[in-house]
Amino acid sequence: ERKSCVCLTLYQKLEMIKLHEEGMSKAALGLKLGLLYHTVSQVVNAKEKLLKDIKSTTPVNTQIIRKQSS
């Protein structure tokens, strides 16, 4: 039986990467988070791309407020 796709939030992915960098194995991460090893492996291996994408995104709905001189 095939499992359905899992949608992970950015926070979940970052937490997974952090735990892996702290020394937790991919298998242990999968057990802790209830995910398949393959899913954890994909997220951890795509770390560089994920961090690059985060840095390149610009915030939406930002406003520049200028103080008027009186």
Side-chain angles (χ1 to χ4, degrees):
E1 183 176 316
R2 186 172 182 208
K3 290 196 174 193
S4 61
C5 294
V6 176
C7 293
L8 299 170
T9 65
L10 178 61
Y11 176 78
Q12 290 172 313
K13 291 177 183 179
L14 291 173
E15 187 67 22
M16 205 180 302
I17 291 168
K18 179 183 158 203
L19 290 171
H20 184 260
E21 287 180 346
E22 290 175 354
M24 187 177 280
S25 70
K26 293 174 187 175
L29 274 169
L31 289 173
K32 178 180 178 178
L33 302 173
L35 299 170
L36 294 173
Y37 172 86
H38 181 73
T39 305
V40 174
S41 186
Q42 282 183 323
V43 171
V44 172
N45 292 340
K47 173 180 80 170
E48 296 301 323
K49 182 184 181 313
L50 178 67
L51 297 177
K52 181 182 165 192
D53 289 347
I54 291 170
K55 289 179 183 176
S56 68
T57 57
T58 53
V60 180
N61 296 331
T62 56
Q63 296 179 345
I64 298 173
I65 301 172
R66 295 190 178 146
K67 187 176 181 179
Q68 292 182 342
S69 58
S70 45

